[in-house]
């Protein structure tokens, strides 16, 4: 099949990944290529060229209206430039003669323009319902040309009023790339991810101190104001900030940790960090929000309700006592990237066959 993958444009699809969506896009693109599919990745400049990238946004490509001279107080330059990049892509995408469009953009434009292109579309709902996507999906339902997929059952329930026929396909990781560590011999707990208010690092720091545990933190700062006002004042010798880490470093850090602390402050639609921690054999202590209660069970994680840091501290201590082999086994059961790609590939085949059958009927008539 010829598959066009539309990425989001906030960050390049390249290692080290800024977040789970970049990792997801990279993995599925790489594996579809390995399975012999003709894949085009529509992404921003700086994405890994091994993914057969078609850049649709870079500094030199900004439309004049989206340049630094744009001064609207209502809409940012980033917002407008992204809008134009997707509009131009959808206007030209039929030239690539795709069998399927695989939309991971988190943007309303590909959805709103889906009825204007020939190829059927699969759109993944990587987030809880947000205003722009809700409106786009509501309008698209009149045409019904898009198949929707959610990354978790909990997120699918959040979208049921807008995409009631939503499939559920869990995100997956390359389990072979994550070494299992049978012993938690590091003497610390681990927090990793983007340093952003949604990820709740400030809660993890407070809970780690209450539990009397040293904590290592790996990840890029994606909200400077949050970092300066909520994180810096809480730092002391018990909290070690490591910055972004490559895969090998991250695997080793997570693997030696007593527990991984995961603290979503929003309705986390999936949480790839859960899969990565469990693959290393590291149990999870976290907050029962979004998909976390559905991804973990009593053998692999301890969750607190709300943002009660004392309760979270207790969860940290309890999680460190869980069996690490159980954690690895759950990762193998639920989060194998090859199973994920199998599911998407089957869906692509189904809708591309439907497209061909419709074309045959049209030609006959």
């Amino acid at each position: 099949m010829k598959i066009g993958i539309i990425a989001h444009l906030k960050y390049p699809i390249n290692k080290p990944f800024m977040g789970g969506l970049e990792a997801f896009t990279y993995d599925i693109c790489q594996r579809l290529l390995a399975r012999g599919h003709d894949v085009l990745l529509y992404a921003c400049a700086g994405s890994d060229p091994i993914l057969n990238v078609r850049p649709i946004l870079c500094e030199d490509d900004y439309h004049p209206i989206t340049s630094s001279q744009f001064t609207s107080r209502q809409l940012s330059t980033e917002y407008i430039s992204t809008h134009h990049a997707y509009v131009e892509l959808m206007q030209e995408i039929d030239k690539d003669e795709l069998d399927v469009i695989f939309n991971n953009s988190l943007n309303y434009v590909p959805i709103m323009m889906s009825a204007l292109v020939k190829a059927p579309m699969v759109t993944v709902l990587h987030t809880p319902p947000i205003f722009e996507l809700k409106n786009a999906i509501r309008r698209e339902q009149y045409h019904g040309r898009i198949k929707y997929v959610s990354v978790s059952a909990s997120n699918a329930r959040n979208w049921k009023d807008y995409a009631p026929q939503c499939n559920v396909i869990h995100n997956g990781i390359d389990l072979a790339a994550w070494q299992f560590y049978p012993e938690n011999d590091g003497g610390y707990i681990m927090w990793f991810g983007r340093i952003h208010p949604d990820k709740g690092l400030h809660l993890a720091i407070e809970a780690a101190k209450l539990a009397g545990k040293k904590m290592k933190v790996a990840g890029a700062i994606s909200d400077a104001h949050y970092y300066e006002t909520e994180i810096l004042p809480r730092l002391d010798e018990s909290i070690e900030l490591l910055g972004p880490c490559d895969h090998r470093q991250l695997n080793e850090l997570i693997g030696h940790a007593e527990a991984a602390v995961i603290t979503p402050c929003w309705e986390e639609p999936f949480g790839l960090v859960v899969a990565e921690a469990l693959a290393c054999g590291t149990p999870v202590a976290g907050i029962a929000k979004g998909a976390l209660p559905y991804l973990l069970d009593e053998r692999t994680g301890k969750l607190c309700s709300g943002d009660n840091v004392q309760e979270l501290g207790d969860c940290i201590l309890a999680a460190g006592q869980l069996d690490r082999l159980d954690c690895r086994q759950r990762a193998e059961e639920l989060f194998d990237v090859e199973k994920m790609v199998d599911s998407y590939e089957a869906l692509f085949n189904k809708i591309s066959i439907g497209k061909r059958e419709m074309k045959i009927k049209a030609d006959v008539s």
Side-chain angles (χ1 to χ4, degrees):
M1 277 184 293
K2 190 169 187 181
I3 303 167
I5 300 179
I6 305 178
H8 79 124
L9 299 178
K10 191 169 183 63
Y11 303 110
I13 308 304
N14 209 342
K15 298 177 181 178
F17 303 121
M18 286 297 293
L21 183 52
E22 292 78 28
F24 168 88
T25 307
Y26 187 99
D27 280 344
I28 197 162
C29 186
Q30 188 179 48
R31 279 163 174 75
L32 288 170
L33 284 165
R35 293 184 182 200
H37 296 290
D38 185 359
V39 178
L40 286 173
L41 176 62
Y42 305 103
C44 62
S47 297
D48 194 327
I50 71 167
L51 303 178
N52 199 21
V53 178
R54 179 79 61 80
I56 62 171
L57 184 66
C58 63
E59 290 182 4
D60 295 334
D61 289 338
Y62 287 139
H63 188 281
I65 197 172
T66 70
S67 69
S68 58
Q69 284 77 32
F70 187 80
T71 57
S72 169
R73 294 183 180 181
Q74 287 75 37
L75 298 173
S76 69
T77 300
E78 179 185 11
Y79 182 97
I80 297 296
S81 60
T82 298
H83 170 92
H84 279 278
Y86 285 129
V87 168
E88 291 171 8
L89 168 65
M90 295 302 289
Q91 288 173 334
E92 301 292 327
I93 202 166
D94 278 343
K95 293 179 181 178
D96 290 325
E97 299 182 335
L98 302 172
D99 294 308
V100 177
I101 298 170
F102 187 34
N103 175 30
N104 296 276
S105 66
L106 309 184
N107 190 277
Y108 59 93
V109 170
I111 296 171
M112 293 290 286
M113 296 184 68
S114 62
L116 305 178
V117 301
K118 295 177 182 177
M121 180 181 290
V122 172
T123 290
V124 184
L125 302 172
H126 291 281
T127 68
I130 56 178
F131 173 75
E132 291 158 331
L133 290 186
K134 287 193 296 185
N135 280 352
I137 291 171
R138 184 186 291 115
R139 288 182 174 275
E140 188 278 328
Q141 296 291 347
Y142 294 116
H143 303 285
R145 297 192 68 235
I146 298 180
K147 295 292 184 184
Y148 294 97
V149 175
S150 173
V151 294
S152 68
S154 62
N155 197 49
R157 279 192 288 274
N158 290 335
W159 278 102
K160 63 181 173 54
D161 292 337
Y162 304 92
Q165 304 302 318
C166 190
N167 295 283
V168 175
I169 300 176
H170 279 167
N171 287 343
I173 60 172
D174 182 358
L175 292 166
W178 292 92
Q179 180 183 341
F180 169 61
Y181 285 75
E183 303 292 336
N184 60 352
D185 53 3
Y188 61 87
I189 58 176
M190 187 73 195
W191 189 99
F192 60 107
R194 291 184 298 114
I195 298 177
H196 184 278
D198 288 346
K199 303 300 183 181
L201 174 57
H202 62 290
L203 299 175
I205 292 173
E206 295 290 342
K209 292 177 179 179
L210 289 171
K213 294 292 183 180
K214 293 182 178 180
M215 186 168 75
K216 295 180 185 288
V217 176
I221 298 167
S222 63
D223 188 309
H225 177 74
Y226 170 70
Y227 174 74
E228 291 166 3
T229 59
E230 298 293 339
I231 303 305
L232 274 179
R234 289 179 164 87
L235 297 182
D236 60 23
E237 66 280 356
S238 69
I239 309 298
E240 183 179 0
L241 264 62
L242 303 171
C245 296
D246 63 27
H247 177 82
R248 182 192 60 78
Q249 293 170 320
L250 197 58
N251 190 174
E252 186 174 336
L253 286 164
I254 300 168
H256 286 299
E258 296 176 12
V261 187
I262 300 175
T263 47
C265 291
W266 69 317
E267 288 297 310
E268 187 76 61
F270 184 78
L272 211 60
V273 289
V274 174
E276 292 166 348
L278 296 184
C280 297
T282 303
V284 170
I287 297 173
K289 280 191 177 180
L292 261 67
Y294 303 92
L295 303 180
L296 297 163
D297 61 14
E298 68 280 356
R299 300 175 303 118
T300 57
K302 298 295 181 181
L303 299 178
C304 70
S305 55
D307 55 2
N308 185 324
V309 291
Q310 181 62 65
E311 189 181 349
L312 180 57
D314 294 339
C315 288
I316 289 171
L317 296 174
Q321 304 304 311
L322 296 174
D323 190 306
R324 297 177 71 87
L325 183 58
D326 286 341
C327 296
R328 175 69 186 196
Q329 288 174 342
R330 187 161 181 85
E332 292 173 352
E333 290 166 7
L334 295 183
F335 308 126
D336 184 347
V337 70
E338 293 299 337
K339 293 179 182 177
M340 178 192 79
V341 178
D342 287 345
S343 297
Y344 278 111
E345 193 175 37
L347 182 57
F348 297 159
N349 274 317
K350 182 178 179 180
I351 66 171
S352 65
I353 289 171
K355 173 194 170 187
R356 289 195 294 271
E357 289 176 346
M358 289 177 63
K359 185 177 185 303
I360 291 170
K361 289 179 181 178
D363 291 343
V364 170
S365 61

